[in-house]
């Protein structure tokens, strides 16, 4: 606690504290003295009073003791009632028996039955005092008096006294404190002033501050001493200040010096690093050579140039890395003689074995005239050499090319002026140098072409692109102007204007004239003709095209060819034209479709177009010949109409034949039946002539029946046709053979066959087809064993079947006819039949989209061929009308 920190307490509080303590101690001592005195007075007083009382009671009780008269003794004790302080009393005889006792009413006190040990002085307890005294009679103990007094009131009095004393004590202390506080200022004031001054000096550090002297006491002496000390301090401080300033200046100087040194040092480091970096990364090889040619050091570039690490290179002889050691020897010898080597060519070997061409410059570094090392600079010129060589080769090639080309090669300055001789120009034009220098060449260009040439030139220079123009240039040998194509390209630094133009002048006269001839020829062609480039732009049209489409050629040139195509077909046309240029070859343009052109007035013109590629130097052009087919289309439409009409009439005819033969059967059967009946019944009743007539009639009716049946069969090929179904052709073939079993047996024929395929056919009709053909082979046999072979061969788009026999054969002039209806070659008596079988065969085959024909050698045999397509489809359905009639 701060209050307990006496040594550090202010002097003011120290003095107050001391006064306070002195005062308190003094008061304590006075109070204690008073208390002790008061108590002693009281004890003495009460002791005396008790002693007097004891003596009085003793004396008055002697008699009663002698006679053990308790009553008297009690009466004696009753006198104690007068002293209110006594609360009990007793008298004992000399034997210690209690003779009488007295107890103040309401007092709580016990009277011992035997006398306590007596003492000369009374015994004090907290609120009582007890006295025991012997009673003597003539020097002899006669008994004992016992008295008890109450000291409670006295104790209270003493306590009051103590309170008063403490109060007084506190008051005195407080007053003392206040007085001491007031008085201490007399002593501590100057000291505190001194202390405050010191604090102020400490705080403000003002050397002018001084203590004010109050008197000449010890403090006055102290103030004087203090002021002297302050003077001394002020003086010392001034000195110290001066010294400090000097020191600071010195330190600042030293700092500046150190900073300057550091800066210089850093600068030195930096320059050294820069120098080192510069040397190491210089784009030139550097090395130091000892006088004997040992490499002492080499920079990074040199090591990289030769592909070595420093450890492989430094320490070895420079000559080891040269192709020609002598070069290094000479170089060192020269250096030893203080020569300076400049750009000497040498060849060094790279680690990978390749040779590097270098230029070496070297000089000697000496110290005190002593050869320390040679500084050698190695400049790699391999690439430069390569480029130079390439340049030389390229130059040579260019010269060769210029010499070899038939074109005139020229170069001009940026403004198109010729500045050097152009031998090929001289050859072509006959103009001599320097006539064509500058603009001197211009008069050689045809007058009419000069303006176009200039326009092309301005365009090319404006856009900085290739210059190109077709002009006529005077040609020395022919003595006339010939068409030339002039092309030139600008030479320029990136972003700069052209400083030179290099170009060629190519004689295209022959081509131009050929083109003109071609144009004339195209114009003279009977068809409309048009030429387009691969972008679809019209290059050329002829007069006929103008007439056909209603445009003038100036209107069309450069426009898209789709101008001449109806709008709906344009996008498809673009595709076709692109395809054509991808694969340029002559072709018809339509692919089975009708195509139309578009007249200027919007009318569509049916056309037929044939395309052919036309190779030019610029690539392919497309040349189309367009034919107006309006007339042909009209004729075709007419033809289609007639064909449809014919088909309809054929159908009607077929239907008629069917209906006729079907309906004729009935009456014919009746006629035939009647005539046969007539023959049977009246054979004998008629004459021979009549019989003959009847026989003829019967025969005719039967034949007619047979003919009608055949006709019906023929009609039924279409009217009774059934849908095509997948069929193994072996099955109808076997059926046909079964139907012909009897005939085969009769003729003793052998029939062989190839495996048959599965095709979509009308099964019944194919059975009939095989039956007719094999039946004929059996019927038209020669006098030899009959062999029939049925063949089937796979062809690219179907099957080729054949029925081959070794029969009588057919004369060549009949081989077409036999497929007609009722066409026969033989007498019915020799070979029965109606001549309808092959007609039916042809009809069946045609219905199956096939073809039938015969090959035959008369007397040797015949082979009937027919084809069936692989994906055979039905192309003819029986009409409802006739299918319902059957
Ligand atoms: P048909 O057999 O009833 O006479 P076809 O139409 O079958 O009628 O034949 C027509 C004619 O073709 C025959 O009359 C015959 O002269 C000739 N012909 C047909 N097949 C053969 C054959 N395999 N060999 C020789 N001639 C044949």
């Amino acid at each position: 606690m701060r209050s307990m920190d006496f040594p550090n307490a202010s002097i003011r509080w120290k003095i107050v504290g001391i006064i306070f303590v002195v005062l308190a101690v003094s008061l304590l001592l006075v109070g204690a003295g008073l208390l002790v005195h008061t108590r002693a007075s009281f004890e003495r007083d009460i002791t005396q009073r008790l002693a007097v009382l004891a003596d009085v009671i003793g004396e008055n009780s002697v008699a009663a003791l002698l006679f053990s008269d308790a009553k008297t003794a009690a009466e004696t004790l009753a006198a104690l009632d007068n002293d209110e302080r006594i609360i009990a009393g007793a008298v004992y005889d000399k034997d210690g028996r209690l003779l009488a006792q007295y107890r103040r009413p309401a007092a709580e006190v016990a009277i011992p039955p035997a006398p306590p040990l007596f003492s000369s002085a009374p015994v004090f307890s907290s609120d009582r005092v007890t006295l025991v005294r012997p009673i003597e009679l003539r020097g002899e103990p006669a008994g004992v008096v016992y008295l008890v007094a109450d000291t409670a009131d006295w104790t209270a009095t003493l306590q009051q006294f103590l309170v008063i004393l403490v109060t007084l004590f506190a008051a005195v202390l407080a007053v003392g404190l206040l007085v001491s506080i007031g008085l201490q200022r007399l002593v501590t004031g100057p000291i505190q002033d001194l202390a405050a001054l010191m604090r102020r000096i400490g705080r403000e550090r003002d050397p002018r501050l001084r203590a004010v002297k109050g008197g000449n006491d010890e403090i006055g002496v102290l103030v004087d001493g203090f002021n002297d000390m302050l003077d001394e301090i002020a003086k010392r401080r001034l000195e110290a200040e001066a010294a400090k300033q000097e020191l600071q200046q010195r330190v600042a100087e030293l700092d500046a010096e150190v900073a300057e040194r550091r800066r210089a040092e850093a600068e030195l480091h930096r320059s050294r690093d820069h120098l080192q970096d510069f040397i190491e990364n210089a784009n030139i090889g550097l090395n130091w050579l000892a006088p004997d040619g040992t490499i002492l050091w080499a920079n990074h570039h040199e090591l990289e140039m030769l592909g070595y690490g420093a450890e492989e290179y430094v320490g070895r002889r420079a000559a080891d890395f040269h192709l020609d050691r002598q070069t290094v020897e000479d170089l060192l010898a020269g250096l030893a003689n203080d020569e300076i080597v400049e750009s000497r060519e040498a060849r060094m070997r790279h680690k990978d074995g390749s040779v590097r061409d270098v230029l070496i410059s070297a000089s000697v570094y000496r110290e005190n005239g002593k050869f320390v090392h040679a500084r050698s600079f190695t400049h790699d010129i391999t690439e430069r050499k390569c480029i130079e060589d390439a340049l030389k080769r390229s130059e040579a090639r260019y010269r060769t090319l210029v010499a070899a080309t038939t074109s005139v090669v020229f170069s001009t300055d940026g403004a198109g002026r010729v500045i050097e001789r152009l031998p090929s120009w001289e050859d072509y034009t006959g103009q001599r140098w320097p006539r064509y220098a500058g603009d001197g060449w211009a008069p050689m260009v045809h007058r009419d072409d000069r303006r176009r040439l200039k326009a092309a030139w301005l365009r090319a220079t404006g856009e900085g692109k290739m210059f190109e123009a077709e002009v006529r240039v005077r040609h020395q040998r022919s003595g006339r102007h010939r068409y030339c194509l002039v092309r030139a390209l600008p030479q320029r630094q990136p972003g700069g204007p052209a400083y030179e133009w290099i170009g060629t002048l190519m004689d295209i006269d022959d081509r131009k004239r050929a083109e003109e001839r071609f144009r004339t020829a195209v114009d003279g062609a009977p068809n409309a003709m048009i030429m387009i480039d691969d972008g679809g732009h019209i290059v050329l049209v002829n007069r006929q095209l103008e007439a056909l489409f209603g445009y003038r050629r100036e209107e069309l040139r450069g426009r898209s060819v789709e101008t001449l195509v109806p709008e709906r077909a344009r996008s498809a046309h673009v595709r076709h034209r692109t395809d054509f240029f991808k694969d340029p070859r002559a072709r018809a343009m339509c692919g089975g479709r009708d195509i139309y052109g578009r007249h200027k007035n919007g009318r569509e013109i049916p056309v037929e177009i044939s395309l052919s590629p036309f190779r030019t130097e610029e690539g392919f052009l497309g040349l189309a010949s367009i034919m107006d087919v309006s007339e042909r289309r009209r004729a075709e439409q007419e033809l289609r109409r007639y064909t449809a009409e014919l088909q309809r009439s054929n159908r009607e005819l077929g239907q008629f034949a069917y209906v006729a033969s079907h309906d004729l059967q009935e009456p014919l059967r009746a006629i035939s039946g009647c005539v046969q009946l007539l023959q049977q019944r009246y054979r004998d009743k008629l004459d021979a002539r009549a019989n003959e007539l009847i026989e003829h009639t019967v025969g005719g009716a039967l034949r007619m029946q047979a003919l009608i049946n055949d006709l019906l069969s023929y009609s039924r090929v279409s009217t009774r046709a059934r849908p095509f179904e997948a069929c193994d052709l072996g099955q109808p073939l076997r059926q046909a053979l079964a139907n012909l079993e009897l005939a085969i047996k009769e003729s003793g024929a052998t029939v062989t066959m190839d495996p048959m395929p599965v095709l979509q056919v009308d099964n019944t009709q194919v059975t009939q087809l095989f039956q007719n053909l094999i039946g004929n082979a059996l019927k038209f046999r020669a006098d030899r064993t009959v062999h029939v072979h049925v063949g089937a061969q796979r062809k690219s788009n179907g099957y080729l079947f054949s029925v081959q026999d070794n029969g009588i054969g057919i004369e060549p002039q009949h081989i077409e006819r036999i497929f007609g209806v009722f066409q026969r070659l033989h007498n019915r008596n020799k070979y029965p039949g109606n001549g309808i079988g092959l007609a039916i065969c042809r009809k069946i085959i045609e219905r199956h989209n096939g073809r039938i024909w015969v090959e035959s050698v008369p007397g040797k045999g015949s082979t009937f061929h027919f084809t069936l397509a692989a994906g055979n489809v039905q192309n003819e359905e029986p009409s409802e009308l006739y299918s319902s009639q059957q």
Side-chain angles (χ1 to χ4, degrees):
M1 272 168 71
R2 195 151 182 83
S3 58
M4 297 294 282
D5 191 8
F6 188 77
N8 292 328
S10 73
I11 194 157
R12 178 179 162 197
W13 290 113
K14 276 180 185 163
I15 289 174
V16 171
I18 289 166
I19 293 171
F20 185 78
V21 169
V22 169
L23 204 62
V25 169
S26 306
L27 283 171
L28 271 177
L29 288 175
V30 171
L34 275 173
L35 212 59
V36 169
H37 173 73
T38 308
R39 186 181 169 94
S41 303
F42 172 75
E43 281 180 3
R44 196 170 57 243
D45 184 41
I46 200 149
T47 304
Q48 274 176 3
R49 271 172 72 181
L50 282 178
V52 169
L53 270 174
D55 286 348
V56 170
I57 288 169
E59 277 172 23
N60 292 339
S61 303
V62 170
L65 282 167
L66 283 177
F67 298 103
S68 301
D69 182 357
K71 191 178 171 209
T72 308
E75 282 170 2
T76 309
L77 284 174
L80 291 173
D81 206 25
N82 295 326
D83 192 335
E84 60 186 8
R85 203 176 283 265
I86 304 298
I87 56 172
V91 175
Y92 301 89
D93 63 14
K94 64 178 182 331
D95 301 324
R97 284 188 302 264
L98 180 66
L99 187 66
Q101 60 179 347
Y102 163 78
R103 194 182 283 125
R104 188 174 292 276
E108 285 179 14
V109 62
I111 294 170
L117 283 177
F118 53 79
S119 58
S120 57
V123 177
F124 288 87
S125 66
S126 63
D127 54 352
R128 313 229 161 131
V129 59
T130 313
L131 183 73
V132 183
R133 269 179 93 103
I135 304 169
E136 290 178 351
L137 183 65
R138 288 172 308 250
E140 287 293 315
V144 174
V145 176
Y146 172 74
L147 286 178
V148 179
D150 183 5
T151 59
D153 61 335
W154 182 78
T155 307
T157 307
L158 204 64
Q159 279 173 348
Q160 276 174 8
F161 178 70
L162 201 63
V163 167
I164 290 164
L165 207 63
V166 167
T167 311
L168 204 64
F169 191 80
V172 170
L173 267 184
V175 171
L177 193 66
L178 288 173
V179 170
S180 68
I181 287 170
L183 289 180
Q184 58 80 31
R185 175 83 195 122
L186 290 174
V187 180
T188 63
I191 297 172
Q192 280 183 343
D193 289 347
L194 208 58
L197 181 74
M198 283 183 80
R199 276 199 294 277
R200 205 172 143 206
I201 289 169
R203 198 167 56 245
E204 296 176 10
R205 306 213 169 267
D206 185 351
R208 290 164 304 175
L209 291 174
R210 289 292 179 274
V212 180
K213 192 173 171 185
N216 284 325
D217 56 359
E218 289 88 341
I219 293 173
V221 174
L222 199 64
V223 167
D224 282 344
F226 184 68
N227 282 344
D228 288 348
M229 199 174 76
L230 283 179
D231 290 344
E232 185 66 16
I233 287 171
K235 202 174 114 211
R236 289 268 172 90
R237 181 181 283 173
L238 280 174
E239 285 170 9
E241 198 64 39
K244 186 179 155 196
Q245 273 177 8
E246 198 178 333
L247 207 64
Q248 275 175 343
Q249 195 180 348
R250 184 77 196 112
V251 167
E253 280 169 13
L254 271 174
D255 280 351
E257 206 174 302
V258 167
E260 178 61 24
R261 275 202 190 162
R262 284 213 181 114
R263 204 183 53 72
E265 208 171 315
E267 189 61 33
L268 205 65
H269 276 297
R270 208 164 41 246
S271 348
R272 198 190 60 201
D273 290 349
H274 285 181
L275 202 63
Q276 199 160 350
D277 176 69
F278 176 73
I279 291 169
E280 283 294 345
N281 296 305
N283 203 15
I284 192 164
L286 299 174
N287 64 46
W288 291 343
L289 293 181
D292 64 351
T294 306
I295 300 162
L296 300 172
W297 167 86
N299 77 343
H300 186 64
H301 186 82
E302 174 133 341
L303 294 171
E304 203 168 72
M305 182 172 79
L306 297 173
Y308 289 99
E311 68 291 346
E312 299 169 298
Y313 194 63
V314 174
R316 289 180 62 187
R317 296 297 179 97
D320 295 349
F321 300 95
H322 279 261
L323 254 65
D324 181 10
R325 300 183 73 91
Q326 196 54 45
T327 313
V328 185
E329 305 299 329
D330 294 351
L331 200 131
L332 284 168
L335 289 171
N337 291 332
D338 265 351
E339 281 175 19
I340 290 177
V341 176
E342 264 185 58
S343 302
R344 187 169 303 173
E345 276 200 26
R347 311 193 79 202
M348 295 184 80
R349 195 177 295 286
H350 189 275
K351 191 180 177 186
D352 66 11
S354 62
V355 174
R356 316 295 300 178
D357 290 296
V358 295
L359 282 182
I360 296 176
S361 302
S363 59
V364 176
Y365 175 69
R366 291 177 187 277
E367 266 176 16
N368 304 325
K370 195 171 156 256
F371 189 124
V372 176
H373 59 244
R375 299 162 292 202
S376 164
F377 299 80
T378 318
H379 186 196
D380 188 349
I381 55 164
T382 315
E383 273 169 27
R384 198 177 82 191
K385 276 234 160 199
C386 281
I387 291 168
E388 274 172 15
D389 288 351
L391 215 61
K392 273 182 202 151
R393 279 198 301 278
S394 156
E395 179 82 8
R397 274 209 299 274
Y398 172 71
R399 294 276 162 223
T400 316
L401 200 69
V402 168
T405 183
T406 51
S407 303
V408 173
V409 180
F410 64 86
S411 67
T412 73
D413 66 5
R417 285 186 299 264
V418 174
I419 47 173
E420 61 178 17
R421 261 193 81 179
L422 304 171
S424 53
W425 173 263
E426 292 182 17
D427 284 353
Y428 192 83
T429 60
Q431 226 184 3
R432 298 286 158 239
W433 181 258
R435 290 284 305 270
Y436 55 91
D439 292 338
W441 51 270
M444 288 288 124
V445 177
H446 196 286
R447 185 177 292 115
D448 296 348
D449 295 345
R450 283 178 205 161
R451 194 189 300 190
R452 198 152 38 80
L453 182 73
K454 189 164 184 188
W457 168 256
L458 289 174
R459 203 165 44 245
T461 49
E463 294 171 2
K465 290 189 181 150
M466 186 169 85
F467 164 75
E468 187 175 288
E470 274 183 22
V471 289
R472 282 162 291 175
V473 177
R474 187 154 182 82
H475 183 238
Q476 172 184 223
R477 241 164 294 147
S478 62
R480 65 175 178 81
H481 283 92
R482 285 176 69 86
Y483 279 104
C484 292
L485 175 67
V486 190
R487 278 188 180 142
L489 277 168
Q491 305 295 306
R492 59 158 65 88
Q493 298 295 351
Y499 58 84
E500 188 182 13
W501 289 81
I502 296 176
T504 58
L505 183 134
M506 193 165 52
D507 187 316
I508 54 165
D509 198 69
D510 294 341
R511 199 188 79 195
K512 282 295 263 190
R513 288 181 203 280
E515 269 176 28
E516 263 167 30
R517 281 198 295 278
F518 173 74
R519 202 167 286 133
T520 318
V522 167
D523 249 354
N527 285 349
M529 296 196 89
I530 183 169
M531 189 179 271
I532 58 166
D533 65 15
D534 56 359
H537 302 109
I538 298 169
V539 177
L540 179 95
V541 299
N542 69 353
R543 211 174 299 123
Q544 286 69 20
L545 190 124
E546 290 180 296
L548 183 60
F549 286 90
Y551 287 96
R552 276 177 296 115
R553 62 184 67 192
E554 302 79 57
E555 291 178 276
L556 289 176
R557 199 171 295 139
R559 277 174 78 172
S560 164
V561 67
E562 275 75 39
T563 311
L564 305 177
V565 177
E567 264 171 41
R568 60 189 155 77
R570 278 181 190 166
S571 57
H573 189 267
V574 172
R575 269 200 314 279
H576 291 312
R577 136 168 96 67
T578 316
D579 289 348
F580 171 77
F581 280 107
K582 272 188 205 153
D583 175 21
R585 58 188 165 77
R587 61 181 84 165
M589 196 187 114
C590 69
R593 286 167 293 109
D594 288 346
I595 50 173
Y596 294 89
R598 185 178 182 280
H599 192 272
K600 191 178 178 183
N601 63 16
R603 182 169 53 83
E604 290 193 3
I605 316 157
V607 288
E608 212 169 77
I609 301 176
S610 58
L611 276 172
S612 39
F614 190 78
R615 187 198 282 275
T616 68
E617 277 163 20
E618 288 83 31
F620 278 102
L621 295 175
L623 181 65
S625 164
I626 305 170
M627 201 160 63
D628 180 359
V629 292
S630 309
E631 272 311 310
R632 208 177 69 199
R633 289 275 160 82
R634 254 196 302 282
E636 278 170 5
Q637 271 174 6
E638 211 49 3
L639 196 67
R640 269 200 292 276
R641 208 165 51 74
Y642 283 137
T643 310
E645 186 64 21
L646 207 63
Q647 278 172 342
R648 193 187 55 75
S649 127
N650 268 351
R651 239 186 343 265
E652 278 176 11
L653 219 58
Q655 287 163 6
F656 171 75
Y658 180 82
V659 174
S661 47
H662 187 267
D663 293 354
L664 277 174
Q665 263 184 333
E666 204 43 49
L668 197 62
R669 226 177 275 137
I671 294 170
S672 158
C674 288
V675 176
Q676 279 176 17
L677 210 61
L678 201 69
Q679 193 183 36
Q680 283 164 15
R681 291 218 186 140
Y682 301 97
R683 187 188 296 267
D684 305 330
K685 293 173 186 138
L686 298 171
D687 59 9
R689 180 67 187 148
N691 279 338
E692 195 183 335
L693 284 174
I694 289 172
E695 212 159 288
H696 274 305
T697 313
V698 170
L702 285 174
R703 238 187 6 264
M704 193 156 177
Q705 243 178 337
L707 280 175
I708 284 173
N709 273 338
D710 284 348
L711 210 56
L712 257 176
S713 306
Y714 182 76
S715 295
R716 278 178 184 147
V717 172
S718 51
T719 56
R720 281 247 179 114
R722 288 203 304 206
F724 292 175
E725 280 170 356
C727 170
D728 174 359
L729 264 60
Q731 191 261 319
L733 177 57
R734 281 192 295 276
Q735 181 60 52
L737 292 175
N739 296 347
L740 292 167
E741 196 183 353
L742 202 65
I744 293 170
K745 264 191 191 148
E746 260 177 25
S747 58
T750 49
V751 183
T752 54
M753 64 186 85
D754 288 347
M756 289 292 131
V758 175
L759 290 175
Q760 291 277 340
V761 292
D762 180 335
N763 189 358
T764 317
Q765 290 187 347
V766 174
T767 308
Q768 191 174 6
L769 173 77
F770 280 130
Q771 192 173 326
N772 286 2
L773 293 177
I774 298 167
N776 278 354
L778 299 173
K779 184 160 65 174
F780 299 104
R781 62 177 178 269
D783 297 333
R784 54 182 168 249
T785 318
V786 184
H787 286 301
V788 184
H789 178 76
V790 183
Q793 267 182 300
R794 181 84 172 98
K795 295 285 173 191
S796 61
N797 55 349
Y799 277 87
L800 173 65
F801 296 88
S802 58
V803 178
Q804 189 181 21
D805 63 44
N806 56 348
I808 58 170
I810 305 162
E811 295 292 332
Q813 65 270 26
H814 301 308
I815 54 174
E816 274 302 320
R817 190 156 73 87
I818 54 172
F819 291 99
V821 182
F822 301 134
Q823 296 296 327
R824 334 198 49 252
L825 303 179
H826 304 281
N827 194 306
R828 199 170 284 111
N829 297 332
K830 198 172 178 193
Y831 296 107
N834 292 324
I836 196 96
L838 288 179
I840 289 175
C841 287
R842 185 162 72 179
K843 206 168 178 194
I844 289 172
I845 287 298
E846 281 173 358
R847 188 181 163 233
H848 283 76
N849 281 328
R851 212 159 63 76
I852 184 163
W853 70 99
V854 64
E855 286 170 358
S856 180
V857 180
K860 293 256 163 111
S862 316
T863 305
F864 283 83
H865 297 283
F866 63 90
T867 58
L868 285 176
N872 229 339
V873 287
Q874 190 174 3
N875 68 347
E876 200 181 315
E877 285 294 327
S879 75
E880 269 185 25
L881 179 66
Y882 295 102
S883 48
S884 63
Q885 284 185 357
Q886 297 183 29

